[in-house]
């Protein structure tokens, strides 16, 4: 059995709808988190008794809540995926009308992000951290408004991985590399005002009426043992709308159009990294210099790209550039994650060049491919 050295308890209090009628409804949810067991980017089982975990979510990362009226017969899979811009992509059998992002806040009405304590949102409220999510608007598709029945919904806690190649979260835009989801699967149905629904994350409460939920991104087996890391890669864009220079908009709806729009172009290459580029720290003896790709793209800075390499085009597979750095012994020196490169048309992509190599091939791949 797996035991947690630090008990993590996250409570979600779902209030009954505040407004109901004429097809509109509203409610507020409160979530509490303990910093003693924060949400992390990776979970790794190193023994049968404990789960050794890695880096907690860094400052700036976003906690969100999706509300879903799941009308599918089979609810064993997630009702949505996220694309690289953080949009909800409905699963088969559902539509965009079945789901909505709630508006998530901290106590001071700021966005529900990690601020001072890694892995949990906001400032402490007593010994815990709290966020609230609200929604007021049209009832979700599938609600039986005519029967005067409060809508049955499910709340999904979603955490985002928006770190750049340098490991800092981007708070200026939603550019998602990965995400983790935890479903609060106690169905919210008609209930008296003031009734609450309590969910525990990461620990089984003594009261058997309260189900246990694991941390987002962490999966365990029936015996409580570690099973897998369940962080998810973002989905392909289902559609995009391009705003032209004259203000007009052009929808892109086919995979070919979207791929062409998001494909970067190499506009230059230099074996001497420019002064303005982020400096590569002291490298091992195998790395003599730095090189820089100058890239541009017709698209805005919407997604992340992974840099991959081959020493010869005859090699069977492309190798992640991070893996090459590990082989060369310079992964700790560069302090850069080449699985999440950005193409903003301004900052060149800087890479180390290794002595003794007469040629090397590179490619950029969107992280969701």
């Amino acid at each position: 059995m797996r035991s947690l050295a630090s008990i993590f308890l996250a409570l979600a209090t779902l209030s009954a709808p505040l407004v109901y009628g004429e097809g509109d409804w509203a409610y507020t949810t409160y979530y509490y988190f303990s910093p003693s067991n924060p949400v992390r980017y990776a979970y790794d089982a190193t023994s049968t008794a404990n789960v050794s975990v890695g880096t907690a979510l860094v400052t700036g990362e976003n906690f969100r809540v999706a509300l879903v009226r799941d009308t599918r017969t089979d609810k064993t899979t997630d009702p949505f995926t996220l694309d690289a811009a953080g949009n909800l992509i409905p699963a088969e059998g559902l539509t965009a009308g079945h789901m909505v992002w709630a508006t998530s806040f901290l106590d001071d009405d700021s966005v529900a992000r990690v601020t001072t304590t890694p892995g949990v949102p906001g400032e402490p409220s007593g010994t815990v951290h709290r966020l609230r999510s609200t929604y007021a608007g049209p009832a979700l598709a599938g609600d039986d408004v005519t029967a005067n029945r409060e809508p049955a919904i499910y709340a999904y806690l979603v955490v985002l991985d928006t770190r750049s190649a340098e490991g800092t979260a981007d708070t200026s835009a939603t550019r998602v590399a990965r995400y983790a989801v935890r479903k609060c699967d106690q169905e919210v149905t008609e209930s008296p005002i003031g009734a609450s629904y309590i969910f525990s994350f990461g620990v089984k409460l003594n009261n058997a009426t309260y189900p246990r939920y694991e941390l987002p991104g962490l999966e365990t087996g029936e015996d409580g043992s570690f099973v897998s890391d369940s962080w998810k890669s973002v989905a392909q864009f289902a559609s995009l709308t391009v705003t032209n220079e004259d203000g007009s908009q052009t929808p892109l709806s086919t995979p070919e159009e979207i791929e062409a729009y998001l494909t970067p172009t190499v506009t230059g290459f230099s074996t001497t990294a420019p002064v303005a580029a982020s400096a590569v720290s002291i490298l091992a003896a195998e790395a003599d210099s730095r090189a820089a790709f100058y890239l541009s793209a017709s698209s805005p800075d919407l997604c992340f790209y992974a840099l991959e390499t081959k020493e010869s085009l005859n090699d069977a597979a492309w190798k992640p550039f991070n893996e090459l750095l590990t082989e060369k012994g310079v992964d700790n020196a560069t302090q850069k994650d080449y699985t999440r490169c950005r193409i903003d048309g301004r900052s060149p992509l800087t890479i180390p060049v290794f002595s003794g190599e007469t040629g090397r091939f590179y490619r950029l791949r969107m992280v969701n491919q």
Side-chain angles (χ1 to χ4, degrees), residues 14-21 23-27 67-71 97-98 100 135 137-155 186-191 197:
L14 279 70
S15 69
L18 305 177
V19 179
Y20 184 74
D24 290 343
W25 55 275
Y27 75 79
L67 307 177
V68 181
R69 173 71 162 101
D70 194 346
T71 58
H98 287 92
V100 67
Y135 174 74
L140 301 181
D143 294 338
D144 187 3
V145 177
T146 58
N148 197 30
R149 177 183 181 275
E150 292 180 351
I153 63 166
Y154 298 94
Q186 182 175 348
E187 182 177 325
V188 180
T189 57
E190 185 173 2
S191 57
Y197 300 84

Side-chain angles (χ1 to χ4, degrees), residues 240-242 249-253 257:
L240 287 173
T241 299
V242 178
Q249 292 188 327
T250 302
L252 305 179
S253 56
E257 290 175 326

Side-chain angles (χ1 to χ4, degrees), residues 209-260:
T209 62
Y210 297 151
R212 184 195 72 178
Y213 299 98
E214 301 295 352
L215 302 175
L218 172 65
E219 298 299 335
T220 61
E222 292 182 0
D223 63 352
S225 62
F226 179 85
V227 175
S228 65
D229 187 321
S230 62
W231 279 84
K232 306 172 187 294
S233 297
V234 292
Q236 296 278 17
F237 284 103
S239 63
L240 287 173
T241 299
V242 178
T243 301
N244 304 308
E245 293 183 0
D246 62 2
S248 62
Q249 292 188 327
T250 302
L252 305 179
S253 56
T254 68
E256 293 76 17
E257 290 175 326
I258 295 172
E259 180 179 356

